[in-house]
Every structure is written in structure tokens, then in C-alpha cells.
Amino acid sequence: MSPTLVIRAERPEDAPVIAELVSRAYGAVPYSDHREHLMVARLRESSAFVPELSLLAEAEGAALGHIMLTRATIGCGQSATITLALAPLSVVPEAQGKGLGKRLVAAAHRRATDLGFESIVLVGLPDYYPQFGYERLSAYPITLPFHAPEANCMILPLTPNALDGVTGQVKYAEAWLDH
Ligand SMILES: CC(C)(COP(=O)(O)OP(=O)(O)OC[C@H]1O[C@@H](n2cnc3c(N)ncnc32)[C@H](O)[C@@H]1OP(=O)(O)O)[C@@H](O)C(=O)NCCC(=O)NCCS
């Protein structure tokens, strides 16, 4: 990967560039509904948005990758626990397979930890995320509010005991839903 690569929080003026790069990243992905860029736009306008955790990777002015972590909760009522939802993760086709996805995930984890978040949930590629420490959600008493194959549903405790006693259903922001 280029030594000039910069990973930084998105700025308001980056929105169109991010929409295009997300569309391109998922353009040839067979399981994609090709609406991930719309999800990014909705989440950005929602209360789940954490500006420091929508990261853009660029090299020499070219936008190459993006990752978004947004607020969610596990459980309900007074025992609800704050978590983050990772989606989407996007690397443009010409930059794939060069370690950029890995760097974006690592950068997002560092920043999320620095901000005091304790865990991240995702529904994603079952062979990709375990390298970062993600475990199957089914190993925990935590469920999703929709059906997804077990192998795709994962969670990462960002600190050693972050998930002790955490139980219940993940509640996503309304912006997750594609109306
Ligand atoms: C999936 C994606 C984010 C990976 O990013 P990337 O920059 O191409 O991947 P990296 O180069 O960082 O890969 C890091 C490691 O994961 C492996 N890997 C890459 N893509 C993988 C995949 N789809 N499944 C399993 N492992 C994968 C690589 O071989 C590499 O292993 P190594 O460190 O042993 O060499 C990127 O290919 C992409 O944007 N794809 C289209 C959109 C998508 O599917 N997003 C994820 C949805 S959950």
C-alpha cells in the first residue's frame, strides 16, 4: 500500500466521494443490494452517527476506502449496553488485496477504543473478520433483530471483559432500515 496513504475522519464535503467509492467497492459483489451508499447517507444524518468513526482512506487525492461504525445498543431499558455496528467496509476494486481493508479496520478499532466504546457487532464475511478478533455472536447471549446466517454474525469485545453480563437483542438505529 502506498506510503502516502492517509486515513482520516470524513468531512462533510467528502459525502459524494464516499458514496461513489462505496458504490464502486460493492459494484461486483454478488450478495450486495448495491444500496450500501444510501445506508451511509442515512446513517450520517442519524443520531447513531459518530463523525470520528466514519473513516476515509486516500492516497494522493484518490479516495480508496471507507469504514463506518455507528452507535447501537444491546438489550433494553436500564440494562441496555452501548455498542457499535460496523458497516459498511469498502475498498475500491483497484486497491483491494493490498492490506487497505485491514488498515481501515485497525484504525477504526483504535479510534473506537480511544472514544471509550467497548464492543463492535457486524454481519459480514465469515472468513475476513476473525483475523481481527471477531467471534461468532452465537457464543454470547446476544441476538440480532433479524435473521442472518450464524457464521456471518460476529462481535468483538474491544476490552477484555467488555461483554461480561451483556445480554439481549441488538437494537440498530432506524437509519439501518432501508425503507
Ligand atoms: C472485503 C474488503 C473490505 C477487504 O479489503 P481488502 O483491502 O481487499 O483486504 P486486505 O488486503 O486488507 O485483506 C487482509 C487479509 O484478508 C484477506 N481477505 C481479503 N478479502 C477477503 C475475503 N473476502 N474473505 C476472506 N479473506 C479476505 C486477505 O487475503 C488478507 O490476508 P493476509 O493478511 O493473510 O494476506 C474489500 O475487498 C472490499 O471492499 N470488498 C467489496 C465490499 C465488501 O465485500 N465489503 C465487506 C462486506 S462485509
Side-chain angles (χ1 to χ4, degrees), residues 38-174:
L38 301 177
M39 181 197 207
V40 169
R42 284 197 308 275
L43 284 167
R44 187 183 285 122
E45 297 305 316
S46 80
S47 58
F49 184 53
V50 184
E52 300 93 328
L53 298 179
S54 179
L55 302 179
L56 177 64
E58 52 187 9
E60 284 146 25
L64 302 180
H66 174 258
I67 188 169
M68 191 172 219
L69 303 182
T70 47
R71 275 194 193 85
T73 52
I74 302 170
C76 56
Q78 292 200 331
S79 62
T81 303
I82 292 171
T83 189
L84 288 167
L86 190 165
L89 169 62
S90 316
V91 175
V92 294
E94 65 272 21
Q96 289 177 9
K98 299 174 185 170
L100 179 51
K102 218 168 170 170
R103 287 179 65 170
L104 277 165
V105 172
H109 287 178
R110 268 196 310 276
R111 287 172 190 229
T113 304
D114 289 350
L115 289 169
F117 289 99
E118 295 193 314
S119 64
I120 302 175
V121 291
L122 63 81
V123 180
L125 296 165
D127 296 331
Y128 186 66
Y129 293 98
Q131 67 185 303
F132 306 110
Y134 285 83
E135 301 167 52
R136 285 202 184 191
L137 194 59
S138 56
Y140 293 88
I142 300 170
T143 56
L144 295 182
F146 46 76
H147 174 74
E150 187 181 333
N152 297 73
C153 305
M154 288 169 261
I155 190 159
L156 173 73
L158 287 167
T159 55
N161 301 314
L163 294 173
D164 289 0
V166 176
T167 177
Q169 192 171 78
V170 176
K171 187 166 190 280
Y172 291 96
E174 176 73 8

